[in-house]
Amino acid sequence: MMPPLSAARFDAYWRLMRFDKPIGILLLLWPGLWALWIAGQGHPTPSVVLVIALGTVLMRAAGCVINDYADRDFDPHVERTKLRPIAAGEIAPRSALWLFVALCLVAFVLVLTMNWLTIALSVPGALLAASYPFMKRYTHWPQAYLGLAFGWAVPMSFAAETGGIPFIAWEIYAATILWALIYDTLYAMVDRDDDLKIGVKSTAILFGRHDRLILALLQALMLAILGAVGRQADLGGAYYAGLAVAAGLAGYQQGLIRERGKPECFRAFLNNNWFGLAVFAGLALDYALR
């Protein structure tokens, strides 16, 4: 019989799943909500919203667990990550793997309540989530791969709500990939010095001194795609007001990273939660006013 889970061990598992840092859940959830509100024309099915939201929480937790498992040899050498539960020896790597499997299974059980297309899409979604943490060993574009994984909630949301994946879903997916590339590059700028020392690749390293310019171009492209989504969905002024607020927040992030200070880059990363909220608020308000 297994011994009871102590408070300290529960806390370690809680931190391993990053439930103490919900920013990742929010960044993953906003694109799913954008997709659901457009797919449901402002009135998505409540049960579908619940499944997508719970699946988001579970798969983000699973992604954090497998990420720390993959980085268990790197994290002890990075100032920001050296106290993570696996790196600090609080949780054994094998226990983390079992937790990852359990989280994925619970998420899959949730998906089984949806239609066949959503169930089928959950398989590549799980593969993307499981493989992402290993990309930084092979490519300078793990941030783009993160976008592929995080954005998979978009086609799944359309499939769950409508039974299909129209072109507009792929437009939102493209915008979400760009968004993840932006905010995860800001995140990687915090660790750039450590990553160079240990040989980990990132877009922050790849972009080098051109990082701010490239991020600004990516922000402009993302906003342009979201503008095209609004025109295709026949959205009105409230939506574009939300995009205007989001554009202002993108400018604010550029101001924060002007000197590339680590605390400021991290604040710019965190600010993307408000970016996602601004887009969703404009979208939801636009449908509510109809």
Side-chain angles (χ1 to χ4, degrees), residues 154-166:
V154 172
M156 285 192 68
S157 294
F158 269 89
E161 181 65 28
T162 69
I165 312 175

Side-chain angles (χ1 to χ4, degrees), residues 219 223 245-255 271 275:
Q219 287 170 325
L223 288 164
V245 173
L249 291 169
Y252 172 68
Q253 293 165 23
Q254 284 288 329
N271 185 259
F275 183 104

Side-chain angles (χ1 to χ4, degrees), residues 36 45-53 55 107-122 156-163:
L36 283 171
T45 307
S47 60
V48 172
V49 175
L50 180 62
V51 168
I52 293 296
F108 185 64
V109 169
L110 279 174
V111 172
L112 289 177
T113 64
M114 300 288 99
N115 58 46
W116 70 267
L117 179 57
T118 310
I119 295 170
L121 288 171
S122 70
M156 285 192 68
S157 294
F158 269 89
E161 181 65 28
T162 69

Side-chain angles (χ1 to χ4, degrees), residues 111-179:
V111 172
L112 289 177
T113 64
M114 300 288 99
N115 58 46
W116 70 267
L117 179 57
T118 310
I119 295 170
L121 288 171
S122 70
V123 176
L127 292 175
L128 285 168
S131 56
Y132 154 70
F134 300 94
M135 291 299 108
K136 66 187 73 173
R137 292 162 173 76
Y138 309 109
T139 175
H140 279 95
W141 294 92
Q143 284 68 33
Y145 199 88
L146 177 71
L148 293 173
F150 266 30
W152 201 246
V154 172
M156 285 192 68
S157 294
F158 269 89
E161 181 65 28
T162 69
I165 312 175
F167 179 72
I168 194 171
W170 298 114
E171 288 182 296
I172 300 171
Y173 184 48
T176 302
I177 294 170
L178 289 173
W179 189 34

Side-chain angles (χ1 to χ4, degrees), residues 177-225:
I177 294 170
L178 289 173
W179 189 34
L181 176 56
I182 292 161
Y183 64 64
D184 205 44
T185 298
L186 293 170
Y187 193 74
M189 288 169 70
V190 179
D191 295 333
R192 181 155 42 191
D193 294 340
D194 288 327
D195 288 347
L196 283 167
K197 291 176 185 176
I198 62 180
V200 169
K201 298 176 173 64
S202 74
T203 46
I205 293 172
L206 178 66
F207 296 164
R209 63 188 179 89
H210 302 295
D211 48 8
R212 289 184 58 212
L213 173 60
I214 294 173
L215 285 171
L217 293 174
L218 291 171
Q219 287 170 325
L221 180 57
M222 180 199 177
L223 288 164
I225 294 174

Side-chain angles (χ1 to χ4, degrees), residues 24-53:
I25 295 174
L26 295 169
L27 292 175
L28 183 54
L29 184 60
W30 290 127
L33 292 178
W34 303 343
L36 283 171
W37 252 251
I38 290 178
Q41 298 185 342
H43 301 283
T45 307
S47 60
V48 172
V49 175
L50 180 62
V51 168
I52 293 296

